[in-house]
Amino acid sequence: MIDTLDDLDVEGTTVGVRVDINSPIADDGSLADDARLRAHVDTLSELLERSGRVAVLAHQGRPGGDDFGCLSPHADRLSDLLGRPVDYVDATFSQAAREAVQSLEDGDCVVLENTRFYSEEYMEFDPDRAARTQLVANLAPVLDAYVNDAFAAAHRSQPSLVGFPTVVPGYAGRVMESELDVLGSIEETPEPRIYVLGGAKVPDSIDVAWSVLEKDLADHILTAGVVANVFLIADGVDLGDASSDFIYEQGYWDEIDRASDLLDAYGDRIALPRDVAVDRDDGRHELGVNALPPQEGEAAMDIGSSTLAYYERLLEDAGTVILNGPAGVFEDDRFELGTRRLYGAATDVPTSIVGGGDTASALRRLGVEGFSHVSTGGGAALQMLTADQLPAVSALERTVDTASDRNDGH
Ligand SMILES: Nc1ncnc2c1ncn2[C@@H]1O[C@H](COP(=O)(O)OP(=O)(O)OP(=O)(O)O)[C@@H](O)[C@H]1O
Ligand SMILES: O=C(O)[C@H](O)COP(=O)(O)O
């Protein structure tokens, strides 16, 4: 049982609110899409209208990634969306951050700096250990309550997600509450069930594939995006140096062995692309897997038309489809076809659940609508739909009742 905002006496309370506003970033550093910010407006408005003092905690990107950066554009955009001033401080738990939090008045909001600027935040800990990290140990003393609205990051056992509720009373925000409600029980969805695993977070997708195949929750897994490229290499296909180098640079080389083990164990339920699209002469050029490798420098950027026809046939019989991750580099018009057609076909399945930051932005850009549920979370929604418990949700379930527990315990 998790407490929600209905259980929190907000007025005059200093609340740390963990949101997931991790967003696509344009080349000039601005936000390329603000859907994840919009999703949290209800929670933040409610807390501010009820005279809370709100300190927003969030991450943007991963260390070393192109989209890793500060939260100043997010604070500006939140201010527009909330229709009130939102301050930003380029500190997360230092004295400057604590002073910014302590100087909040009722109805004030400040966005603290990207939690992942601080190395411990990109590590996974059990909740008690997470509570002793620098972030939580330094910031928790200036908070009266903690609200977790970051459903999209709830599959990470990182300090800002599992550490705070161990020492500060924790509550689910409105996004967290509604996602848990809707995604509650995968076993009740109609069969056969198909999981479509695309996008670029290969380790997460392979974890999900193992889990749903072992538990017999999936009748088929359709691979797309970078995930498909890893499976194709695991299956012995020569995708060429450009695709292989990309996988190596992402640190996903070991995933090829894991994909290979999965194919050995459950190959009859895992569908691989029959053709891929590469960039040739500045256009889209499709190649059957038998015609691979492609020419020097060409990478597999999308699934091809015969793969789409094959996947569409499999989807025709599905009762439930769960999708995460674009089928290709949808940001480039030449490689949006896979995502447009595959996701379009999924809207005809009786129960269709789709999740992910880039996925949602792809669907808006391509105008694909009509799903049963579009989740704010990609990996988080998938993990929930494997019937595995999410660490940040477990931490809220076991949260301390009062700040005095915190003083007793620490
Ligand atoms: N074949 C491919 N080669 C390179 N990049 C690809 C390919 N297919 C898809 N991508 C990239 O994958 C990225 C999105 O993947 P990602 O796994 O982050 O999806 P997501 O919907 O944001 O999920 P989550 O919310 O879990 O992060 C896009 O930027 C897209 O360009
Ligand atoms: O976009 C997401 O899936 C969430 O923000 C979590 O990000 P992560 O995969 O980098 O932990």
Side-chain angles (χ1 to χ4, degrees):
M1 185 66 186
I2 295 176
D3 284 342
T4 70
L5 299 191
D6 298 332
D7 305 295
L8 175 60
D9 187 5
V10 179
E11 190 176 344
T13 297
T14 303
V15 192
V17 186
R18 178 58 159 104
V19 294
D20 191 328
I21 47 178
N22 182 27
S23 304
I25 301 293
D27 291 341
D28 64 1
S30 63
L31 294 172
D33 186 89
D34 66 1
R36 278 191 162 163
L37 288 85
R38 289 176 184 277
H40 292 292
V41 163
D42 284 352
T43 296
L44 294 173
S45 296
E46 179 175 344
L47 287 168
L48 294 168
E49 273 157 26
R50 289 170 62 190
S51 300
R53 305 167 177 208
V54 172
V56 174
L57 286 155
H59 72 277
Q60 172 60 54
R62 294 176 171 185
D66 288 341
D67 59 353
F68 190 53
C70 75
L71 294 181
S72 161
H74 305 65
D76 289 346
R77 189 74 193 111
L78 275 178
S79 177
D80 295 342
L81 292 170
L82 293 168
R84 59 168 79 216
V86 170
D87 285 336
Y88 156 74
V89 57
D90 62 351
T92 313
F93 61 80
S94 63
Q95 191 175 347
R98 292 194 299 275
E99 281 174 7
V101 174
Q102 283 174 306
S103 63
L104 291 169
E105 305 277 348
D106 293 0
D108 282 353
C109 181
V110 63
V111 173
L112 303 177
E113 189 51 284
N114 186 346
T115 51
R116 290 185 181 174
F117 279 10
Y118 148 67
S119 57
E120 274 182 312
E121 174 69 359
Y122 201 53
M123 300 165 80
E124 305 251 343
F125 295 103
D126 68 59
D128 287 333
R129 177 65 187 85
R132 298 198 303 276
T133 56
Q134 295 298 319
L135 169 69
V136 181
N138 283 289
L139 197 61
V142 298
L143 302 177
D144 302 314
Y146 167 79
V147 169
N148 193 343
D149 212 26
F151 173 76
H155 55 319
R156 307 292 182 214
S157 193
Q158 293 164 347
S160 70
L161 294 152
V162 301
F164 285 106
T166 308
V167 287
V168 178
Y171 303 81
R174 297 304 182 197
V175 171
M176 180 70 82
E177 199 184 340
S178 75
E179 292 274 16
L180 296 181
D181 216 29
V182 176
L183 297 173
S185 182
I186 183 63
E187 284 93 348
E188 284 167 20
T189 59
E191 294 178 285
R193 276 187 219 103
I194 293 184
Y195 283 71
V196 177
L197 302 180
K201 291 182 180 166
V202 180
D204 289 347
S205 296
I206 292 187
D207 287 347
V208 166
W210 269 116
S211 186
V212 294
L213 288 166
E214 270 175 346
K215 291 178 185 164
D216 219 9
L217 291 170
D219 295 276
H220 286 289
I221 288 183
L222 314 187
T223 60
V226 184
V227 178
N229 293 353
V230 168
F231 273 93
L232 285 171
I233 295 172
D235 199 38
V237 173
D238 183 354
L239 271 186
D241 287 346
S243 290
S244 300
D245 290 351
F246 179 82
I247 289 164
Y248 188 76
E249 280 158 19
Q250 301 295 307
Y252 294 159
W253 202 248
D254 292 345
E255 300 303 319
I256 294 171
D257 284 343
R258 295 181 69 213
S260 175
D261 292 344
L262 254 178
L263 288 172
D264 287 344
Y266 299 105
D268 55 332
R269 288 197 267 160
I270 302 172
L272 307 188
R274 294 178 170 176
D275 56 351
V276 298
V278 300
D279 173 354
R280 186 173 295 176
D281 302 329
D282 287 332
R284 176 189 175 94
H285 181 80
E286 296 194 355
L287 287 167
V289 288
N290 295 335
L292 293 169
Q295 292 175 7
E296 174 87 29
E298 293 177 347
M301 307 282 270
D302 194 8
I303 54 177
S305 308
S306 32
T307 307
L308 284 164
Y310 166 43
Y311 285 2
E312 282 163 354
R313 276 198 306 281
L314 289 170
L315 285 174
E316 272 169 21
D317 298 325
T320 301
V321 61
I322 293 142
L323 310 94
N324 169 238
V329 183
F330 72 91
E331 297 91 339
D332 181 325
D333 291 347
R334 296 167 298 170
F335 303 112
E336 65 166 40
L337 179 75
T339 306
R340 183 196 295 279
R341 264 182 63 182
L342 186 57
Y343 277 76
T347 61
D348 293 331
V349 175
T351 299
S352 53
I353 300 169
V354 50
D358 286 295
T359 304
S361 127
L363 298 180
R364 259 188 314 283
R365 175 183 157 137
L366 302 173
V368 183
E369 295 180 335
F371 297 95
S372 315
H373 178 63
V374 180
S375 172
T376 53
L382 282 179
Q383 188 170 325
M384 182 119 187
L385 295 170
T386 64
D388 286 343
Q389 182 68 280
L390 302 179
V393 176
S394 305
L396 283 181
E397 281 169 353
R398 294 194 308 262
T399 189
V400 291
D401 287 337
T402 62
S404 63
D405 287 3
R406 160 181 69 186
N407 296 332
D408 293 347
H410 296 267

